[in-house]
Amino acid sequence: MTTEGSADEAIRTRVIAAYDVAGARVAGQLDDIVAFAAELCGVPVALVSLVEEEYQRFLARIGTDLLATPRSQSFCAHAMLGHEVMQVPDAREDPRFADNALVTGAPFIRFYAGAPLVSSEGVPLGALCVIDSEPRAALTPLQHRGLLILAKAAMGRLDDRRVAREQGEAEAAARRVLEASDLKFRTLADTMPQMVWSTLPDGFHDYYNARWYEFTGAPEGTTDGEGWNGMFHVDDQDRAWAAWRHSLETGEPYGIEYRLRHFDGTYRWVLGRALPVRDQDGAIMRWFGTCTDIHEQKLAYEEREVISQELSHRIKNIFAVISGLISFAARGKPEFAATATDLRHRITALGRAHDFVRPHSAQSRPTVRQDSLHGLLADLFEPYKQGDGVRLAVIGDDVRVDDRSATPIALLFHELATNATKYGALSTVTGAVEVAIAAGADTVVITWRERGGPPVAAPAGSGGFGSQLIEMSAVRQLGGTVARDWRPEGLVMDIAIPASALSRAA
């Protein structure tokens, strides 16, 4: 390695050390990004890699158990040096990778596409990549753009953790300063990049560091006492006062985002935090706080949210296009009409589930919580309801769901509702279905109970495609179990699903 190369690696090592990569991996903060990247590109494997001097480590992964590989085998070490998505249609035909152990042996990589991850300093860190064991043509324009957007979103989350880590270190430093002399505290506080302030136990502000006065341009001493609130945007003042009073009354940490007046007359978003310092009896002696300029991160986050909503909206449109293509194809082949109708209804159910959990704007967001199983089932059952909807009721505990579980849930309960409409309780005027949810410590049991329909009996053999689809959704995708009881008054089905399969939060 050249001297220049060694220097570059030393810089990369310092930048990587500034990120809370271990925390991001443990928290699973990038898991939804790799899952969505794999779904978007139609591949089994997706990774967020961090390329270090000797190894590349995976901060998030789907479709593989690998935690790291030698850097010498890394595709991402090449991808991170570019500005676009690096694509390898067939690694066996690429002289850079034809002899790579990951190509000649397990996992037998053939197709690879990677978008670079670059720090705010412009230092390449790794890549967001998608991998297939079969050769493929190039990504579609939507997949190419989506992979770049997801890479930026992953980098944004890592940057947010970096800011939080630096902020936490700054607050810890501020607390330690209290133990030293007042002179040492002021010397240290004035050299910190954050604005530092301190108050008496009753909340009276009596100290600001030099950074505060540099940022606000306020004359020294003019923001003592309650003067600080006048520096906030008028729309944020009442909210900030309420949060500060709550912390003073309860002793809970203070944390709020607000717009602070800059010395140039504009308002910039900052993150304000404060912690109480207590004596040995637990009484608050002082409050120490910091203000961190997060204006650029705030604007970038809002931009990422808009892009995420747009991308998700386009995926929703794809469901509609596919449904339309099926209808178009069925018109030319009447013998395909029944199958086409079933397929189109299943795709419509998937579209409803995606629309329920996808990122929304304030105007398009569902009226119920997007992580609610009750809400998702109510949305899926809407086409089957008649009158006041009592014929198809959801009762019991509400549990969290997310984008990972929405698809198999949609397929599972669409199939049950469709069968009940054709052959079961919903095929008669007096029939009804009740879906009862019982949440245990580790398992959620969902009971589908039909009554008032025509007499039913267990089907001969292993069942048709619908039964197989139910098994695939409940057992293979959600890791649960299915127990059917073909009672004379109607089908009763108990579906037991691990809570962790329904929501990452569980």
Side-chain angles (χ1 to χ4, degrees), residues 24-48:
R25 183 190 297 115
V26 172
Q29 202 161 25
L30 304 176
D31 290 353
D32 59 332
I33 288 181
V34 294
F36 189 55
E39 181 181 357
L40 174 67
C41 298
V43 299
V45 179
L47 305 163
V48 172

PDB file of all heavy atoms in Angstrom, residues 24-48:
ATOM      1  N   ALA A  24     -26.151   0.910  15.548  1.00  0.00           N
ATOM      2  CA  ALA A  24     -27.074   0.820  14.417  1.00  0.00           C
ATOM      3  C   ALA A  24     -27.374  -0.631  14.077  1.00  0.00           C
ATOM      4  O   ALA A  24     -28.503  -0.994  13.753  1.00  0.00           O
ATOM      5  CB  ALA A  24     -26.481   1.541  13.203  1.00  0.00           C
ATOM      6  N   ARG A  25     -26.337  -1.502  14.180  1.00  0.00           N
ATOM      7  CA  ARG A  25     -26.538  -2.920  13.869  1.00  0.00           C
ATOM      8  C   ARG A  25     -27.443  -3.570  14.916  1.00  0.00           C
ATOM      9  O   ARG A  25     -28.395  -4.277  14.583  1.00  0.00           O
ATOM     10  CB  ARG A  25     -25.194  -3.636  13.813  1.00  0.00           C
ATOM     11  CG  ARG A  25     -25.306  -5.116  13.416  1.00  0.00           C
ATOM     12  CD  ARG A  25     -23.995  -5.865  13.600  1.00  0.00           C
ATOM     13  NE  ARG A  25     -22.956  -5.349  12.740  1.00  0.00           N
ATOM     14  CZ  ARG A  25     -21.852  -4.747  13.175  1.00  0.00           C
ATOM     15  NH1 ARG A  25     -21.675  -4.572  14.485  1.00  0.00           N
ATOM     16  NH2 ARG A  25     -20.931  -4.324  12.340  1.00  0.00           N
ATOM     17  N   VAL A  26     -27.153  -3.324  16.192  1.00  0.00           N
ATOM     18  CA  VAL A  26     -27.933  -3.948  17.269  1.00  0.00           C
ATOM     19  C   VAL A  26     -29.379  -3.468  17.240  1.00  0.00           C
ATOM     20  O   VAL A  26     -30.316  -4.237  17.455  1.00  0.00           O
ATOM     21  CB  VAL A  26     -27.285  -3.644  18.637  1.00  0.00           C
ATOM     22  CG1 VAL A  26     -28.190  -4.108  19.770  1.00  0.00           C
ATOM     23  CG2 VAL A  26     -25.921  -4.315  18.735  1.00  0.00           C
ATOM     24  N   ALA A  27     -29.578  -2.177  16.964  1.00  0.00           N
ATOM     25  CA  ALA A  27     -30.930  -1.611  16.948  1.00  0.00           C
ATOM     26  C   ALA A  27     -31.716  -2.014  15.709  1.00  0.00           C
ATOM     27  O   ALA A  27     -32.917  -1.783  15.630  1.00  0.00           O
ATOM     28  CB  ALA A  27     -30.849  -0.083  17.036  1.00  0.00           C
ATOM     29  N   GLY A  28     -31.042  -2.635  14.723  1.00  0.00           N
ATOM     30  CA  GLY A  28     -31.733  -3.003  13.489  1.00  0.00           C
ATOM     31  C   GLY A  28     -32.260  -1.808  12.733  1.00  0.00           C
ATOM     32  O   GLY A  28     -33.274  -1.887  12.044  1.00  0.00           O
ATOM     33  N   GLN A  29     -31.529  -0.686  12.814  1.00  0.00           N
ATOM     34  CA  GLN A  29     -32.054   0.571  12.286  1.00  0.00           C
ATOM     35  C   GLN A  29     -32.058   0.612  10.763  1.00  0.00           C
ATOM     36  O   GLN A  29     -32.731   1.440  10.164  1.00  0.00           O
ATOM     37  CB  GLN A  29     -31.236   1.743  12.835  1.00  0.00           C
ATOM     38  CG  GLN A  29     -31.963   3.068  12.805  1.00  0.00           C
ATOM     39  CD  GLN A  29     -31.339   4.079  13.737  1.00  0.00           C
ATOM     40  OE1 GLN A  29     -30.170   3.993  14.054  1.00  0.00           O
ATOM     41  NE2 GLN A  29     -32.115   5.040  14.176  1.00  0.00           N
ATOM     42  N   LEU A  30     -31.311  -0.299  10.139  1.00  0.00           N
ATOM     43  CA  LEU A  30     -31.251  -0.312   8.681  1.00  0.00           C
ATOM     44  C   LEU A  30     -31.925  -1.547   8.098  1.00  0.00           C
ATOM     45  O   LEU A  30     -31.878  -1.750   6.881  1.00  0.00           O
ATOM     46  CB  LEU A  30     -29.784  -0.254   8.220  1.00  0.00           C
ATOM     47  CG  LEU A  30     -28.965   0.927   8.743  1.00  0.00           C
ATOM     48  CD1 LEU A  30     -27.526   0.811   8.284  1.00  0.00           C
ATOM     49  CD2 LEU A  30     -29.551   2.247   8.286  1.00  0.00           C
ATOM     50  N   ASP A  31     -32.556  -2.375   8.959  1.00  0.00           N
ATOM     51  CA  ASP A  31     -33.148  -3.625   8.477  1.00  0.00           C
ATOM     52  C   ASP A  31     -34.261  -3.383   7.464  1.00  0.00           C
ATOM     53  O   ASP A  31     -34.392  -4.122   6.477  1.00  0.00           O
ATOM     54  CB  ASP A  31     -33.700  -4.441   9.647  1.00  0.00           C
ATOM     55  CG  ASP A  31     -32.596  -5.007  10.520  1.00  0.00           C
ATOM     56  OD1 ASP A  31     -31.412  -4.884  10.149  1.00  0.00           O
ATOM     57  OD2 ASP A  31     -32.909  -5.570  11.587  1.00  0.00           O
ATOM     58  N   ASP A  32     -35.099  -2.358   7.698  1.00  0.00           N
ATOM     59  CA  ASP A  32     -36.196  -2.115   6.764  1.00  0.00           C
ATOM     60  C   ASP A  32     -35.675  -1.635   5.410  1.00  0.00           C
ATOM     61  O   ASP A  32     -36.283  -1.914   4.373  1.00  0.00           O
ATOM     62  CB  ASP A  32     -37.183  -1.100   7.354  1.00  0.00           C
ATOM     63  CG  ASP A  32     -36.541   0.241   7.676  1.00  0.00           C
ATOM     64  OD1 ASP A  32     -35.322   0.272   7.956  1.00  0.00           O
ATOM     65  OD2 ASP A  32     -37.256   1.255   7.675  1.00  0.00           O
ATOM     66  N   ILE A  33     -34.525  -0.957   5.419  1.00  0.00           N
ATOM     67  CA  ILE A  33     -33.963  -0.472   4.155  1.00  0.00           C
ATOM     68  C   ILE A  33     -33.482  -1.635   3.299  1.00  0.00           C
ATOM     69  O   ILE A  33     -33.757  -1.702   2.096  1.00  0.00           O
ATOM     70  CB  ILE A  33     -32.832   0.542   4.431  1.00  0.00           C
ATOM     71  CG1 ILE A  33     -33.436   1.855   4.956  1.00  0.00           C
ATOM     72  CG2 ILE A  33     -32.005   0.801   3.173  1.00  0.00           C
ATOM     73  CD1 ILE A  33     -32.434   2.931   5.242  1.00  0.00           C
ATOM     74  N   VAL A  34     -32.742  -2.614   3.905  1.00  0.00           N
ATOM     75  CA  VAL A  34     -32.273  -3.743   3.101  1.00  0.00           C
ATOM     76  C   VAL A  34     -33.454  -4.608   2.658  1.00  0.00           C
ATOM     77  O   VAL A  34     -33.450  -5.145   1.544  1.00  0.00           O
ATOM     78  CB  VAL A  34     -31.217  -4.575   3.853  1.00  0.00           C
ATOM     79  CG1 VAL A  34     -29.955  -3.768   4.083  1.00  0.00           C
ATOM     80  CG2 VAL A  34     -31.744  -5.110   5.166  1.00  0.00           C
ATOM     81  N   ALA A  35     -34.475  -4.743   3.529  1.00  0.00           N
ATOM     82  CA  ALA A  35     -35.653  -5.531   3.143  1.00  0.00           C
ATOM     83  C   ALA A  35     -36.359  -4.898   1.953  1.00  0.00           C
ATOM     84  O   ALA A  35     -36.750  -5.589   1.001  1.00  0.00           O
ATOM     85  CB  ALA A  35     -36.612  -5.665   4.331  1.00  0.00           C
ATOM     86  N   PHE A  36     -36.484  -3.566   1.971  1.00  0.00           N
ATOM     87  CA  PHE A  36     -37.158  -2.884   0.880  1.00  0.00           C
ATOM     88  C   PHE A  36     -36.307  -2.901  -0.387  1.00  0.00           C
ATOM     89  O   PHE A  36     -36.826  -3.030  -1.499  1.00  0.00           O
ATOM     90  CB  PHE A  36     -37.478  -1.445   1.277  1.00  0.00           C
ATOM     91  CG  PHE A  36     -38.370  -0.735   0.300  1.00  0.00           C
ATOM     92  CD1 PHE A  36     -39.605  -1.268  -0.055  1.00  0.00           C
ATOM     93  CD2 PHE A  36     -37.984   0.452  -0.282  1.00  0.00           C
ATOM     94  CE1 PHE A  36     -40.430  -0.628  -0.944  1.00  0.00           C
ATOM     95  CE2 PHE A  36     -38.803   1.104  -1.183  1.00  0.00           C
ATOM     96  CZ  PHE A  36     -40.021   0.567  -1.518  1.00  0.00           C
ATOM     97  N   ALA A  37     -34.966  -2.803  -0.242  1.00  0.00           N
ATOM     98  CA  ALA A  37     -34.081  -2.868  -1.398  1.00  0.00           C
ATOM     99  C   ALA A  37     -34.208  -4.225  -2.088  1.00  0.00           C
ATOM    100  O   ALA A  37     -34.266  -4.305  -3.328  1.00  0.00           O
ATOM    101  CB  ALA A  37     -32.639  -2.609  -0.970  1.00  0.00           C
ATOM    102  N   ALA A  38     -34.242  -5.310  -1.302  1.00  0.00           N
ATOM    103  CA  ALA A  38     -34.392  -6.643  -1.885  1.00  0.00           C
ATOM    104  C   ALA A  38     -35.734  -6.770  -2.595  1.00  0.00           C
ATOM    105  O   ALA A  38     -35.823  -7.327  -3.697  1.00  0.00           O
ATOM    106  CB  ALA A  38     -34.264  -7.709  -0.795  1.00  0.00           C
ATOM    107  N   GLU A  39     -36.791  -6.245  -1.970  1.00  0.00           N
ATOM    108  CA  GLU A  39     -38.124  -6.315  -2.585  1.00  0.00           C
ATOM    109  C   GLU A  39     -38.182  -5.469  -3.851  1.00  0.00           C
ATOM    110  O   GLU A  39     -38.727  -5.901  -4.871  1.00  0.00           O
ATOM    111  CB  GLU A  39     -39.174  -5.841  -1.580  1.00  0.00           C
ATOM    112  CG  GLU A  39     -40.594  -5.903  -2.123  1.00  0.00           C
ATOM    113  CD  GLU A  39     -41.602  -5.411  -1.096  1.00  0.00           C
ATOM    114  OE1 GLU A  39     -41.187  -5.089   0.033  1.00  0.00           O
ATOM    115  OE2 GLU A  39     -42.801  -5.323  -1.452  1.00  0.00           O
ATOM    116  N   LEU A  40     -37.606  -4.283  -3.802  1.00  0.00           N
ATOM    117  CA  LEU A  40     -37.641  -3.384  -4.956  1.00  0.00           C
ATOM    118  C   LEU A  40     -36.932  -3.998  -6.155  1.00  0.00           C
ATOM    119  O   LEU A  40     -37.421  -3.906  -7.285  1.00  0.00           O
ATOM    120  CB  LEU A  40     -36.972  -2.049  -4.575  1.00  0.00           C
ATOM    121  CG  LEU A  40     -36.776  -1.026  -5.698  1.00  0.00           C
ATOM    122  CD1 LEU A  40     -38.129  -0.506  -6.179  1.00  0.00           C
ATOM    123  CD2 LEU A  40     -35.913   0.134  -5.223  1.00  0.00           C
ATOM    124  N   CYS A  41     -35.784  -4.641  -5.934  1.00  0.00           N
ATOM    125  CA  CYS A  41     -34.969  -5.167  -7.027  1.00  0.00           C
ATOM    126  C   CYS A  41     -35.267  -6.626  -7.320  1.00  0.00           C
ATOM    127  O   CYS A  41     -34.687  -7.199  -8.245  1.00  0.00           O
ATOM    128  CB  CYS A  41     -33.483  -4.987  -6.709  1.00  0.00           C
ATOM    129  SG  CYS A  41     -32.993  -3.249  -6.523  1.00  0.00           S
ATOM    130  N   GLY A  42     -36.130  -7.264  -6.535  1.00  0.00           N
ATOM    131  CA  GLY A  42     -36.503  -8.644  -6.783  1.00  0.00           C
ATOM    132  C   GLY A  42     -35.360  -9.617  -6.618  1.00  0.00           C
ATOM    133  O   GLY A  42     -35.185 -10.524  -7.431  1.00  0.00           O
ATOM    134  N   VAL A  43     -34.560  -9.431  -5.576  1.00  0.00           N
ATOM    135  CA  VAL A  43     -33.415 -10.306  -5.320  1.00  0.00           C
ATOM    136  C   VAL A  43     -33.539 -10.908  -3.926  1.00  0.00           C
ATOM    137  O   VAL A  43     -34.225 -10.361  -3.063  1.00  0.00           O
ATOM    138  CB  VAL A  43     -32.081  -9.529  -5.440  1.00  0.00           C
ATOM    139  CG1 VAL A  43     -31.911  -8.972  -6.831  1.00  0.00           C
ATOM    140  CG2 VAL A  43     -32.012  -8.414  -4.399  1.00  0.00           C
ATOM    141  N   PRO A  44     -32.842 -12.032  -3.672  1.00  0.00           N
ATOM    142  CA  PRO A  44     -32.950 -12.666  -2.357  1.00  0.00           C
ATOM    143  C   PRO A  44     -32.064 -12.055  -1.290  1.00  0.00           C
ATOM    144  O   PRO A  44     -32.302 -12.243  -0.109  1.00  0.00           O
ATOM    145  CB  PRO A  44     -32.519 -14.118  -2.638  1.00  0.00           C
ATOM    146  CG  PRO A  44     -31.609 -14.021  -3.827  1.00  0.00           C
ATOM    147  CD  PRO A  44     -32.142 -12.897  -4.658  1.00  0.00           C
ATOM    148  N   VAL A  45     -31.015 -11.325  -1.697  1.00  0.00           N
ATOM    149  CA  VAL A  45     -30.030 -10.848  -0.730  1.00  0.00           C
ATOM    150  C   VAL A  45     -29.836  -9.343  -0.886  1.00  0.00           C
ATOM    151  O   VAL A  45     -29.730  -8.827  -2.007  1.00  0.00           O
ATOM    152  CB  VAL A  45     -28.665 -11.556  -0.912  1.00  0.00           C
ATOM    153  CG1 VAL A  45     -27.642 -11.020   0.093  1.00  0.00           C
ATOM    154  CG2 VAL A  45     -28.814 -13.057  -0.754  1.00  0.00           C
ATOM    155  N   ALA A  46     -29.808  -8.635   0.251  1.00  0.00           N
ATOM    156  CA  ALA A  46     -29.471  -7.215   0.261  1.00  0.00           C
ATOM    157  C   ALA A  46     -28.666  -6.938   1.529  1.00  0.00           C
ATOM    158  O   ALA A  46     -28.922  -7.531   2.577  1.00  0.00           O
ATOM    159  CB  ALA A  46     -30.724  -6.335   0.218  1.00  0.00           C
ATOM    160  N   LEU A  47     -27.694  -6.021   1.411  1.00  0.00           N
ATOM    161  CA  LEU A  47     -26.770  -5.761   2.517  1.00  0.00           C
ATOM    162  C   LEU A  47     -26.453  -4.282   2.611  1.00  0.00           C
ATOM    163  O   LEU A  47     -26.462  -3.575   1.604  1.00  0.00           O
ATOM    164  CB  LEU A  47     -25.437  -6.516   2.297  1.00  0.00           C
ATOM    165  CG  LEU A  47     -25.488  -8.032   2.079  1.00  0.00           C
ATOM    166  CD1 LEU A  47     -24.177  -8.505   1.485  1.00  0.00           C
ATOM    167  CD2 LEU A  47     -25.743  -8.732   3.393  1.00  0.00           C
ATOM    168  N   VAL A  48     -26.158  -3.825   3.828  1.00  0.00           N
ATOM    169  CA  VAL A  48     -25.480  -2.542   4.038  1.00  0.00           C
ATOM    170  C   VAL A  48     -24.097  -2.883   4.565  1.00  0.00           C
ATOM    171  O   VAL A  48     -23.966  -3.461   5.647  1.00  0.00           O
ATOM    172  CB  VAL A  48     -26.227  -1.638   5.035  1.00  0.00           C
ATOM    173  CG1 VAL A  48     -25.372  -0.417   5.371  1.00  0.00           C
ATOM    174  CG2 VAL A  48     -27.555  -1.181   4.450  1.00  0.00           C
TER     175      VAL A  48
END
